[in-house]
C-alpha cells in the first residue's frame, strides 16, 4: 500500500524524509560533549552521560487502555523466553531490551475514590502518587522525567521534550469527576502544573530548529529570540511600574504571572548560551499527517531527531490518552479502542484489542530499529545509549487493573542495563524502576519517589 505524503514539499516521501534525517548535522553538538576516555572512565556517573562519555537519553512512552495479558507476556525463562503474538514485532530487537513483569501502580487503583481508572492510569503513570479527585482542584505530583530534567536539563538546549499523538484536548471533568489535566498529561512539573505535550510535528520541529527552509532556520530562531527578549523587557518594565499601585492580593497574582515570565527569560538566556541552532538538512513537516500510522511514526522521528542532535536527553510521548476510543481502520477495525477493551472475554473483541496492541508495538519496534541504526559518537548505537520505557498505566483494560503493568525497557543505557531478558520482579511499585533510572542518569538526593519502597534491582 502506498503511503500518503505529508511533508511540506509534496515531492518528498517518507522514505526521503528518513534519508534527510540521516543527513542531519548533529556531530558538532555531540563532539563538544564527548570527554576523553580517561576522563569518562573515572566519572561513569556523570549526569546523563554514559561511561564512554556519550549522551545518555531517557524516554517514557505510554500507550492507552492496557493490553490483553495472555497475548502480551512471553513464555519461557529469563533468557530463553519466547515472545507472544503482541510482542512478536520486537523479535529482531530482543537482544536490546527487557520485558519487565511484576510492576504495579497502587495509587492508580480506586481505593476510596471510585471510578476514574483512565484518568488515574494517565496521571499516576510517571508520578506514582494518589491524585486528588476533582475537576478543578488539581493535585498530582512531579513526574520522574521532570525530576531528571531539574538536575540534568541544563546540559541541553531543552530540559525535556513532551510529545503526543492526541491532538484533541478537553478541559474540566473528563473521567468520573477527575480533571482532564490528569487524563491528557503524563509529565508534571509539580503537583499542579502539567507539562502540556505538543501534538503538531511541525511545531515540535520549529521549536527545536527554527522556522523556514534549511539554511535560514538558525537566523530565524535568533530573530525570534531577540523579539521575545524585547517583549519580555517591556512586560517586566511595565510590571514594575504597576506593582507600586497594586493591593496585596493583586501583587500575589502579579508575582505568579512574573514567575512564568522569568521562566521564559531563563529559557532565552539558555538558548543564547547554547548558540546557533542545529539546522537539519530536511524539510519541515507540514503538520499532522492524514494517516495515523504516519503520524505516530513522524512523532517518533521527532524524538529520534531530538536525541540525535542532543537537543534534549529526556522525552515523554503519549501515543493516546488512557480511555482513547480511536478506531483503527488501517487494520480493519472500525470499533473504538476503549469500547473494545471492555471485551468481557468475547473472543472476537479480544482478537481486535490484541491486534491494536500489536499495531502499537509495531510502531515502537520501527522506532527502535531507527534508533539502533544511528551510530552515536562513541561508535555504539543511539539505542545502546538510551533507556526507553514503553508501557501503559492500565494493565488489563477489561477490568481496569493496575497490577503487573505491561512494561518494556529498551536500550542498554550505555551498557548499564542487562538486555535480552524477560525479568519477573514479583509485586513491586513501578516507582522503584523510576528511582533506579534516576540513579543511572546521575540524579542525586532522591531517596524516595511516588510510592517507591526502594530501588529496583536486576536491571
Amino acid at each position: 500500500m502506498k503511503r500518503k505524503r505529508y511533508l511540506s514539499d509534496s515531492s518528498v516521501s517518507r522514505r526521503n524524509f528518513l534519508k534527510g534525517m540521516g543527513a542531519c548535522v548533529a556531530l558538532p553538538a555531540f563532539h563538544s560533549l564527548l570527554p576523553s576516555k580517561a576522563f569518562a572512565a573515572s566519572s561513569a556517573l556523570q549526569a546523563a552521560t554514559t561511561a564512554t562519555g556519550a549522551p545518555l537519553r531517557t524516554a517514557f512512552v505510554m500507550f492507552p487502555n492496557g493490553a490483553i495479558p495472555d497475548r502480551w507476556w512471553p513464555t519461557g525463562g529469563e533468557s530463553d523466553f519466547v515472545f507472544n503474538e503482541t510482542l512478536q514485532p520486537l523479535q529482531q530487537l530482543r537482544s536490546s531490551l527487557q520485558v519487565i513483569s511484576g510492576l504495579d501502580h497502587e495509587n492508580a487503583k480506586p481505593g476510596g475514590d471510585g471510578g476514574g481508572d483512565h484518568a488515574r492510569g494517565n496521571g499516576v503513570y510517571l508520578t506514582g502518587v494518589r491524585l486528588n479527585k476533582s475537576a478543578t482542584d488539581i493535585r498530582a505530583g512531579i513526574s520522574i522525567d521532570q525530576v531528571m530534567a531539574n538536575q540534568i536539563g541544563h546540559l541541553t538546549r531543552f530540559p525535556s521534550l513532551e510529545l503526543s499523538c492526541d491532538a484533541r484536548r478537553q478541559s474540566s471533568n473528563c473521567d468520573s469527576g477527575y480533571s482532564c489535566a490528569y487524563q491528557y498529561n503524563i509529565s508534571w512539573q509539580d503537583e499542579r502544573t502539567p507539562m502540556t505535550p505538543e501534538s503538531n510535528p511541525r511545531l515540535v520541529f520549529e521549536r527545536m530548529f527554527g522556522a523556514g527552509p534549511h539554511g535560514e532556520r538558525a537566523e530565524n530562531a535568533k530573530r525570534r529570540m531577540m523579539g521575545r527578549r524585547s517583549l519580555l523587557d517591556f512586560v517586566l518594565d511595565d510590571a514594575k511600574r504597576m506593582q507600586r499601585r497594586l493591593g496585596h492580593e493583586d501583587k500575589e497574582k502579579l508575582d505568579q504571572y512574573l514567575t512564568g515570565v522569568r521562566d521564559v527569560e531563563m529559557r532565552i538566556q539558555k538558548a543564547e548560551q547554547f548558540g546557533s541552532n542545529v539546522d537539519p538538512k530536511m524539510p519541515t513537516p507540514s503538520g499532522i499527517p492524514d494517516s495515523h500510522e504516519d503520524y505516530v511514526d513522524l512523532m517518533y522521528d521527532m524524538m529520534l531527531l531530538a536525541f540525535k542532535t542532543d537537543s534534549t536527553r529526556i522525552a515523554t510521548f503519549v501515543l493516546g490518552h488512557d480511555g482513547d476510543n480511536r478506531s483503527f481502520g488501517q487494520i480493519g477495525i472500525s470499533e473504538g479502542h476503549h469500547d473494545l477493551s471492555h471485551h468481557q472475554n468475547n473472543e472476537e473483541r479480544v482478537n481486535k484489542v490484541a491486534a491494536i496492541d500489536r499495531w502499537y508495538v509495531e510502531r515502537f519496534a520501527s522506532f527502535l530499529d531507527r534508533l539502533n541504526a544511528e551510530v552515536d559518537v562513541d561508535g555504539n548505537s543511539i539505542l545502546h545509549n538510551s533507556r526507553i520505557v514503553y508501557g501503559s498505566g492500565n494493565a488489563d483494560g477489561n477490568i481496569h487493573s493496575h497490577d503487573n503493568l505491561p512494561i518494556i525497557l529498551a536500550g542498554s543505557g550505555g551498557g548499564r542495563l542487562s538486555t535480552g531478558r524477560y525479568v519477573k520482579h514479583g509485586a513491586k511499585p513501578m516507582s522503584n524502576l523510576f528511582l533506579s533510572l534516576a540513579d543511572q542518569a546521575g540524579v542525586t538526593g532522591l531517596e524516595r519517589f511516588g510510592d517507591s519502597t526502594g530501588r529496583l534491582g536486576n536491571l
Side-chain angles (χ1 to χ4, degrees):
M1 182 179 71
K2 187 177 181 181
R3 289 186 182 273
K4 292 185 179 181
R5 296 176 176 180
Y6 55 85
L7 295 177
S8 55
D9 181 346
S10 61
S11 67
V12 180
S13 66
R14 173 174 167 75
R15 183 176 300 170
N16 287 332
F17 168 73
L18 291 174
K19 286 181 180 177
M21 285 192 63
C24 293
V25 183
L27 290 182
F30 284 156
H31 279 308
S32 67
L33 295 168
L34 191 64
S36 69
K37 290 183 179 179
F39 179 75
S42 65
S43 53
L45 291 180
Q46 288 184 89
T49 306
T50 70
T52 63
L56 176 65
R57 296 90 167 180
T58 305
F60 300 92
V61 181
M62 196 202 82
F63 65 90
N65 303 327
I68 303 296
D70 291 345
R71 313 288 181 90
W72 172 277
W73 296 113
T75 58
E78 182 172 313
S79 58
D80 63 349
F81 67 92
V82 177
F83 281 123
N84 215 324
E85 61 183 85
T86 298
L87 300 188
Q88 267 295 324
L90 294 167
Q91 179 61 39
Q92 299 303 314
L93 293 152
R94 63 178 288 146
S95 63
S96 298
L97 57 81
Q98 300 177 52
V99 181
I100 297 178
S101 73
L103 300 188
D104 310 331
H105 260 324
E106 186 69 27
N107 284 327
K109 298 177 184 179
D113 292 330
D117 285 273
H118 294 299
R120 289 192 296 265
N122 257 64
V124 178
Y125 184 57
L126 295 184
T127 66
V129 302
R130 173 67 57 178
L131 308 178
N132 184 52
K133 188 170 187 178
S134 171
T136 55
D137 184 13
I138 299 170
R139 274 180 284 133
I142 187 171
S143 54
I144 193 61
D145 61 303
Q146 292 306 301
V147 171
M148 295 181 186
N150 286 343
Q151 290 203 27
I152 66 180
H154 66 282
L155 298 172
T156 52
R157 187 178 295 274
F158 301 102
S160 61
L161 185 66
E162 294 76 40
L163 305 175
S164 175
C165 276
D166 216 338
R168 183 174 64 93
R169 308 290 291 185
Q170 290 179 238
S171 58
S172 189
N173 180 0
C174 265
D175 184 14
S176 304
Y178 282 98
S179 169
C180 297
Y182 299 131
Q183 194 156 354
Y184 287 91
N185 299 284
I186 62 173
S187 178
W188 290 76
Q189 187 177 44
D190 54 47
E191 66 175 10
R192 297 186 185 274
T193 313
M195 300 288 289
T196 304
E198 179 55 64
S199 59
N200 189 319
R202 178 180 64 81
L203 297 181
V204 175
F205 185 90
E206 290 182 346
R207 179 189 170 203
M208 289 193 292
F209 308 115
H214 174 67
E216 298 178 10
R217 293 173 185 138
E219 187 60 32
N220 288 343
K222 183 179 179 181
R223 280 199 296 268
R224 184 181 181 189
M225 183 174 63
M226 291 174 64
R228 284 182 174 180
R229 178 169 286 286
S230 296
L231 180 61
L232 285 180
D233 288 343
F234 174 80
V235 168
L236 289 171
D237 286 344
D238 202 38
K240 289 176 183 176
R241 289 194 297 271
M242 185 185 300
Q243 201 167 27
R244 293 190 291 269
R245 307 198 306 269
L246 297 179
H248 178 71
E249 289 187 6
D250 285 336
K251 282 184 177 179
E252 286 186 353
K253 291 180 182 179
L254 182 61
D255 285 342
Q256 292 174 355
Y257 171 74
L258 289 177
T259 297
V261 171
R262 292 187 186 101
D263 181 58
V264 175
E265 186 176 36
M266 289 174 65
R267 282 188 238 159
I268 292 175
Q269 291 172 350
K270 185 173 183 180
E272 291 174 336
Q273 168 194 338
F274 277 89
S276 298
N277 286 25
V278 175
D279 187 1
K281 293 180 180 177
M282 57 175 283
T284 301
S286 61
I288 297 175
D290 293 332
S291 160
H292 192 61
E293 180 172 317
D294 288 343
Y295 185 18
V296 171
D297 286 349
L298 182 54
M299 292 304 277
Y300 270 129
D301 287 339
M302 292 299 101
M303 186 156 62
L304 185 154
L305 190 53
F307 285 165
K308 180 177 178 179
T309 58
D310 205 26
S311 296
T312 190
R313 299 182 190 178
I314 303 165
T316 57
F317 184 15
V318 178
L319 291 163
H321 70 276
D322 214 82
D324 183 26
N325 206 33
R326 176 184 306 280
S327 60
F328 287 77
Q330 67 270 30
I331 54 174
I333 298 175
S334 59
E335 299 96 328
H337 186 190
H338 172 247
D339 290 344
L340 286 171
S341 71
H342 293 285
H343 49 72
Q344 298 180 322
N345 297 317
N346 175 282
E347 185 177 2
E348 181 183 1
R349 293 167 71 87
V350 167
N351 288 339
K352 288 181 177 181
V353 175
I356 294 171
D357 296 342
R358 182 180 173 116
W359 184 88
Y360 274 120
V361 172
E362 287 172 349
R363 306 318 336 132
F364 182 58
S366 178
F367 167 61
L368 295 184
D369 276 331
R370 299 197 293 281
L371 279 181
N372 202 36
E374 292 287 349
V375 179
D376 211 345
V377 291
D378 61 354
N380 292 307
S381 70
I382 290 182
L383 178 59
H384 176 82
N385 290 332
S386 299
R387 297 100 49 82
I388 316 292
V389 177
Y390 176 87
S392 181
N394 255 307
D396 183 346
N398 184 47
I399 58 175
H400 287 164
S401 62
H402 304 280
D403 289 330
N404 200 20
L405 296 168
I407 302 294
I408 294 168
L409 177 57
S412 298
R416 294 185 189 133
L417 300 175
S418 178
T419 54
R421 300 185 302 147
Y422 170 32
V423 187
K424 303 173 184 178
H425 287 279
K428 300 285 178 60
M430 187 161 170
S431 297
N432 288 11
L433 169 63
F434 297 155
L435 272 180
S436 295
L437 294 179
D439 288 346
Q440 291 180 4
V443 172
T444 60
L446 189 64
E447 297 304 320
R448 294 196 62 191
F449 179 80
D451 63 344
S452 66
T453 58
R455 270 67 180 169
L456 189 68
N458 195 21
L459 287 176

